[in-house]
């Protein structure tokens, strides 16, 4: 009798444990996951240089295994931009899904529910139950100086049955400082005879055209501001000429300007353009004097340095100093520079 009782107890215990397991299978969550971003590198970064960071997925008892992720990463489009090929924004890393990892889709689009910019990534691979690893590396280029931040604003994860997996996103954005010195030059381009008197902001070295040149190609044509300051923006590493030009002046040239790691590392100060090349043949001579005489006392002359955004003005080169009149001041400048040839070397 005792034996029967023991057998009954064992059977009952076994059945009870089965039913408890069944209850557990129904009520326990099917695992959780989280998404985080690594700190961007390098930090500080530079304009025109690459910035990258990783997306990490951590799966925790996800059954029957996490197999797909749909992730929106917000980026600051004023400070960073995608590489030349948008497809190279996302690089699959076989750390979370293993070698089966693939990126099904990467697009640059608006973030869900806002006008912010997002990289939208869809990736999938072999089922992962409990595992943490990098699923993708994102690449951007520094665009402007500032503190650029990235954050996951939406993420949908699914298990091998297609069921959503509850997940939490990294609460904090990851940020990188983009260096303001990259692309800027501690130099100025002035013009002999200026400041003129009729410019919009009362005396200016504005609107001298400046660019970098290398291997017969001109890069990043821009204009000086009223103080003659300028930025050359993005330049690939290499050695350049800096070229400055304004109507009525000889060009000035700075050679051997080195850009390394996205920064202009050559040190150079100001240059002053020499006035008097009215006909633009890179030499100041009697032909230029004649042009001044021919236009002597012309008034109300439009000047490029006073135009909005340095645009759409056919500057009269005989009004060398941009005061709106061709007179003895212009004649004095050309006469003082007779015989000079351009481009002149970079010097005050
Ligand atoms: Ca000339
Ligand atoms: Ca003048
Ligand atoms: Ca002029």
């Amino acid at each position: 009798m005792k034996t029967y009782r023991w057998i009954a107890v064992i059977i009952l215990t076994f059945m009870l444990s089965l039913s408890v397991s069944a209850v557990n299978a129904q009520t326990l969550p099917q695992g959780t996951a989280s998404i985080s971003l690594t700190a961007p590198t390098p930090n500080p970064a530079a304009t025109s240089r690459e910035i990258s960071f990783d997306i990490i997925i951590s799966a925790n008892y996800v059954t029957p295994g996490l197999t797909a992720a749909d992730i929106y990463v917000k980026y600051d489009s004023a400070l960073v931009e995608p590489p030349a090929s948008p497809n190279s924004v996302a690089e699959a890393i076989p750390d979370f899904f293993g070698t089966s990892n693939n990126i099904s889709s990467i697009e640059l689009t608006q973030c869900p529910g806002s006008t912010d910019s997002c990289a939208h990534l869809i990736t999938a691979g072999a089922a992962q139950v409990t595992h943490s690893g990098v699923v993708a590396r994102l690449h951007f280029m520094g665009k402007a100086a500032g503190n650029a931040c990235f954050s996951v604003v939406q993420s949908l994860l699914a298990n091998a049955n297609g069921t959503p997996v509850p997940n939490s996103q990294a609460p904090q954005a990851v940020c990188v400082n983009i260096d303001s010195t990259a692309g800027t030059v501690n130099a100025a381009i002035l013009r002999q005879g200026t400041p003129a008197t009729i410019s919009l902001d009362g005396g200016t070295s504005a609107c001298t055209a400046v660019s970098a040149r290398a291997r017969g190609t001109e890069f990043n044509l821009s204009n000086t501001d009223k103080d003659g300051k300028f930025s050359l923006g993005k330049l690939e590493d290499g050695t350049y000429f800096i070229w400055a030009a304004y109507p009525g002046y000889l060009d000035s040239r700075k050679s051997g300007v080195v850009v390394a790691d996205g920064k202009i590392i050559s040190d150079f100060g100001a240059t002053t353009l020499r006035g008097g090349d009215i006909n633009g043949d890179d030499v100041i001579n009697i032909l230029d004097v004649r042009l001044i005489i021919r236009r002597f006392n012309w008034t109300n002359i439009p000047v490029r340095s006073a135009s909005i955004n340095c645009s759409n003005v056919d500057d009269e080169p005989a009004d060398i100093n941009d005061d709106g009149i061709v007179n003895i001041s212009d004649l004095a400048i050309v006469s003082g520079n007779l015989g000079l040839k351009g481009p002149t070397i970079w010097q005050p």
Side-chain angles (χ1 to χ4, degrees), residues 255-325:
S255 60
V257 175
V258 175
V259 177
D261 291 333
K263 293 185 182 181
I264 295 167
I265 59 172
S266 301
D267 199 21
F268 52 101
T271 188
T272 301
L273 304 192
R274 316 308 292 185
D277 183 17
I278 312 304
N279 63 359
D281 65 354
D282 287 334
V283 59
I284 297 173
N285 59 21
I286 190 66
L287 299 177
D288 301 302
V289 175
R290 279 188 196 151
L291 285 170
I292 296 272
I293 301 292
R294 196 175 298 163
R295 294 165 192 178
F296 214 76
N297 284 336
W298 280 15
T299 55
N300 296 320
I301 295 171
V303 297
R304 178 175 147 87
S305 62
S307 63
I308 304 294
N309 297 326
C310 306
S311 60
N312 298 329
V313 169
D314 287 328
D315 186 271
E316 168 53 61
D319 176 17
I320 297 172
N321 62 359
D322 276 8
D323 62 355
I325 181 169

Side-chain angles (χ1 to χ4, degrees), residues 37-304:
L37 305 178
T38 62
T41 58
N43 191 5
T47 51
S48 83
R49 310 305 293 180
E50 188 174 299
I51 298 162
S52 57
F53 58 94
D54 294 344
I55 302 175
I56 294 174
I57 298 180
S58 297
N60 190 26
Y61 297 109
V62 175
T63 53
L66 195 159
T67 55
D70 179 333
I71 302 168
Y72 285 84
V73 176
K74 186 171 89 170
Y75 65 95
D76 188 337
S77 58
L79 300 181
V80 299
E81 60 189 348
S85 165
N87 283 336
S88 56
V89 169
E91 171 192 359
I93 304 289
D95 190 27
F96 180 74
F97 283 127
T99 52
S100 67
N101 186 24
N102 70 81
I103 291 176
S104 313
S105 165
I106 175 70
E107 62 170 347
L108 298 166
T109 182
Q110 282 191 348
C111 300
S114 81
T115 56
D116 293 329
S117 298
C118 266
H120 177 206
L121 174 80
I122 301 172
T123 180
Q128 304 295 322
V129 176
T130 297
H131 183 51
S132 179
V134 178
V135 70
R137 183 162 297 150
L138 296 194
H139 303 274
F140 287 87
M141 304 295 286
K143 182 178 172 186
N147 193 43
C149 295
F150 305 90
S151 57
V152 177
V153 292
Q154 180 177 297
S155 54
L156 304 171
L157 306 178
N159 67 23
N161 287 337
T163 308
V165 176
N167 71 94
S168 57
Q169 299 145 16
Q172 297 224 319
V174 295
C175 300
V176 59
N177 183 40
I178 300 174
D179 197 328
S180 62
T181 60
T184 63
V185 184
N186 187 23
I189 302 167
L190 309 174
R191 294 194 299 270
Q192 188 183 16
T194 59
T197 54
I198 65 161
S199 298
L200 285 181
D201 39 13
T204 175
S205 295
C207 301
T208 298
V210 57
S211 62
R213 298 183 184 187
R215 302 172 298 280
T217 304
E218 182 174 56
F219 301 92
N220 300 1
L221 181 64
S222 64
N223 291 295
T224 55
D225 66 14
K226 65 184 177 59
D227 298 317
K229 298 280 190 180
F230 60 98
S231 170
L232 285 168
K234 299 178 184 180
L235 288 171
E236 293 294 314
D237 288 359
T239 303
Y240 296 84
F241 293 107
I242 304 301
W243 203 281
Y246 194 86
Y249 289 82
L250 293 174
D251 294 352
S252 182
R253 189 180 78 163
K254 172 74 180 173
S255 60
V257 175
V258 175
V259 177
D261 291 333
K263 293 185 182 181
I264 295 167
I265 59 172
S266 301
D267 199 21
F268 52 101
T271 188
T272 301
L273 304 192
R274 316 308 292 185
D277 183 17
I278 312 304
N279 63 359
D281 65 354
D282 287 334
V283 59
I284 297 173
N285 59 21
I286 190 66
L287 299 177
D288 301 302
V289 175
R290 279 188 196 151
L291 285 170
I292 296 272
I293 301 292
R294 196 175 298 163
R295 294 165 192 178
F296 214 76
N297 284 336
W298 280 15
T299 55
N300 296 320
I301 295 171
V303 297
R304 178 175 147 87

Side-chain angles (χ1 to χ4, degrees), residues 8-18:
V9 167
I10 288 167
I11 289 172
L12 200 65
T13 308
F14 178 67
M15 290 185 70
L16 207 62
S17 74
L18 273 183

